[in-house]
Amino acid sequence: MAETYVTTAYERLQIAHLRWRKRAQKWISRSREKVSFVLIPNDEKPFAQIEISIGMLGFLFGLSLSLVLLSFGLLVYFSFFFDRNLSLEKKTETQLVSFLFYDLLSQDLRDSVEELESTTESLNLLAWEEIPEKEMITQDYLLKEEFHKDASELDSNLLLFQQVVTTYTQFGVRLGNLVPNFQNAIDYLSMRESIFYSMPRGRPLRPGVGVVTSTFGYRSDPFGILPVGEYHSGIDFAAGEGTPIYATGPGIIAVDTAVGGLGKSVRINHENGFFTLYGHCSLILVNPGDRVKRGDKIALVGQTGKATGAHVHYEVRTGLDAPLDPEEYINLD
C-alpha cells in the first residue's frame, strides 16, 4: 500500500500566501495599466488626451461611490430619523431677539451718556467758572479700558452678544469716569446753595408794606443832637405800630439784648457767621433758643428805644466785623 503525504497547517498557510501574493501581483500589474481618455471636438482632431491608471480609476470610483452613499445616508437620516431640538431653537431665537433689543437700547444709552457728559462739563464750568472739566479731578485712579473691534465682524449675528457686552462695558467705563466729576460739581453747587439759602435775604416786612426812611451809612442826627451827623448801621422801614416783622433767613434766636438804643430787639444767628438785628419792636414773639425759618413772624413794629416813630431797624452783620449794607442782601431776592 502506497504511503500518502499529508500537508501540515504551516505548509497550507505558505501555499495560501503564495496564491494570494500571485493574485496581488497580478492585480497590481493590471492596475498599472493605463486607460486613455481623449477629448475630440467637432473637427475630429484630438484636443487633449488624459491617461490614468486602472488602479487610480478604481480608487476614484470607490471614493465617489462612498461620498454618494454617505450623502444619501445623511439625507435619509435628516429627513426621517433626525429629531430637531425645538426648545433649543426657540431659546436661541429668543436670545437673538433679546440681544438685538439690547443693541437698540445701547444706541439710546450712547446718546444719553454723551448728553450727560456735555451736561457735566457745563455744570463744572458753572461751578468752577473757567476751569475745564478735565482739570477738575485726576483720572489716574479711575477705571480705564481699551476696546478693539473689527467693524466687519459686527455684521455677523454670531458676534452680536460680544458686541452688546463690549458696548455696555464701554459705557460702564465712561460712566465710571463721569460720576466723580459730576458728583464733585453737585457737591460744590449744593454747598453754594446751602450758603445762599442760609444767608439773610429780602425785607423784614411783607412786600409793599412800609417805606424806607433811613438808609445805611452816615446821616444827619434825626434828634438834632449831633451836628456832624451819625453812622447808621442798618436800614429803617417805617410802618404802622403792630405790623408783623419776619425773619429774613433761617437761624436761632439769640439772647434778647438791647443794643445802642434799639429798644426791644431780636437777634437771629444764621449759619456761616451771619446774624441779623430787628430793633424798636413793640412786642417780641419768639424766645432765645428758638429755631426759625425764613418768613417766620418774630416780632411787631414799634418805637421802643431811641426812635422818632414806629419803624423797624434792620441790620446785617458777620461775626465781630463792621455791619454790612442790608440793601445788598435785600436785593438777593
Side-chain angles (χ1 to χ4, degrees):
M1 184 176 180
E3 295 182 357
T4 59
Y5 179 76
V6 180
T7 59
T8 63
Y10 176 73
E11 291 174 335
R12 288 194 297 269
L13 286 176
Q14 283 186 326
I15 294 172
H17 172 70
L18 291 174
R19 287 176 180 174
W20 281 106
R21 182 176 179 181
K22 185 177 181 180
R23 290 176 183 176
Q25 290 177 347
K26 182 179 179 180
W27 279 104
I28 292 173
S29 177
R30 291 190 60 185
S31 65
R32 290 177 178 174
E33 296 178 1
K34 295 184 177 181
V35 177
S36 298
F37 295 91
V38 180
L39 299 177
I40 303 176
N42 292 332
D43 57 4
E44 298 182 356
K45 293 181 180 180
F47 177 73
Q49 180 176 351
I50 301 175
E51 292 184 354
I52 186 171
S53 64
I54 295 177
M56 180 59 69
L57 185 64
F59 172 76
L60 294 177
F61 176 77
L63 180 62
S64 302
L65 181 62
S66 300
L67 293 175
V68 171
L69 293 177
L70 179 62
S71 302
F72 180 76
L74 291 176
L75 178 63
V76 172
Y77 172 74
F78 284 107
S79 300
F80 301 100
F81 301 101
F82 179 71
D83 186 15
R84 296 172 57 189
N85 192 339
L86 298 179
S87 62
L88 180 60
E89 291 180 2
K90 184 176 180 180
K91 183 178 179 180
T92 302
E93 292 177 357
T94 303
Q95 290 178 344
L96 179 60
V97 172
S98 177
F99 291 144
L100 289 173
F101 173 72
Y102 282 112
D103 185 56
L104 292 176
L105 286 183
S106 68
Q107 306 302 320
D108 295 336
L109 183 59
R110 177 183 291 106
D111 296 337
S112 298
V113 170
E114 291 176 353
E115 182 178 357
L116 182 59
E117 288 175 337
S118 177
T119 303
T120 301
E121 183 176 358
S122 300
L123 186 63
N124 277 284
L125 289 174
L126 175 64
W128 306 97
E129 297 179 351
E130 297 183 357
I131 301 178
E133 175 265 341
K134 62 183 180 180
E135 295 181 7
M136 285 295 303
I137 185 171
T138 176
Q139 303 287 333
D140 295 340
Y141 69 94
L142 297 175
L143 175 63
K144 291 184 180 295
E145 188 63 61
E146 293 183 357
F147 299 90
H148 301 282
K149 295 186 296 183
D150 185 0
S152 62
E153 293 181 354
L154 301 182
D155 296 334
S156 173
N157 288 335
L158 297 176
L159 297 177
L160 183 59
F161 171 76
Q162 179 182 355
Q163 176 189 356
V164 173
V165 171
T166 301
T167 302
Y168 274 85
T169 305
Q170 286 178 323
F171 291 143
V173 173
R174 291 172 66 178
L175 287 174
N177 292 337
L178 187 62
V179 168
N181 289 337
F182 185 82
Q183 190 61 48
N184 197 22
I186 287 295
D187 290 344
Y188 179 73
L189 291 177
S190 297
M191 179 183 67
R192 289 178 58 178
E193 182 182 36
S194 175
I195 293 174
F196 176 76
Y197 283 108
S198 65
M199 292 170 58
R201 294 175 292 118
R203 307 167 80 246
L205 304 179
R206 287 295 186 192
V209 177
V211 294
V212 176
T213 56
S214 183
T215 58
F216 177 80
Y218 283 97
R219 66 175 183 177
S220 60
D221 185 0
F223 295 94
I225 300 175
L226 300 174
V228 295
E230 66 174 357
Y231 181 79
H232 190 229
S233 59
I235 293 180
D236 291 343
F237 292 89
E241 189 159 348
T243 301
I245 301 172
Y246 301 94
T248 57
I252 299 175
I253 303 299
V255 177
D256 184 15
T257 57
V259 179
L262 292 180
K264 293 182 180 180
S265 61
V266 177
R267 169 174 168 166
I268 302 178
N269 292 333
H270 308 281
E271 293 182 7
N272 305 307
F274 285 95
F275 70 88
T276 51
L277 286 173
Y278 310 79
H280 307 300
C281 304
S282 61
L283 180 64
I284 306 298
L285 303 178
V286 291
N287 298 310
D290 289 349
R291 184 176 293 275
V292 296
K293 303 185 299 296
R294 180 171 182 258
D296 286 351
K297 187 188 298 185
I298 57 175
L300 302 178
V301 171
Q303 49 184 331
T304 58
K306 185 181 177 182
T308 57
H311 71 283
V312 57
H313 173 86
Y314 177 61
E315 288 187 20
V316 178
R317 293 174 178 260
T318 55
L320 300 177
D321 294 341
L324 305 172
D325 187 353
E327 184 177 0
E328 297 179 6
Y329 298 90
I330 291 173
N331 293 332
L332 287 178
D333 263 359

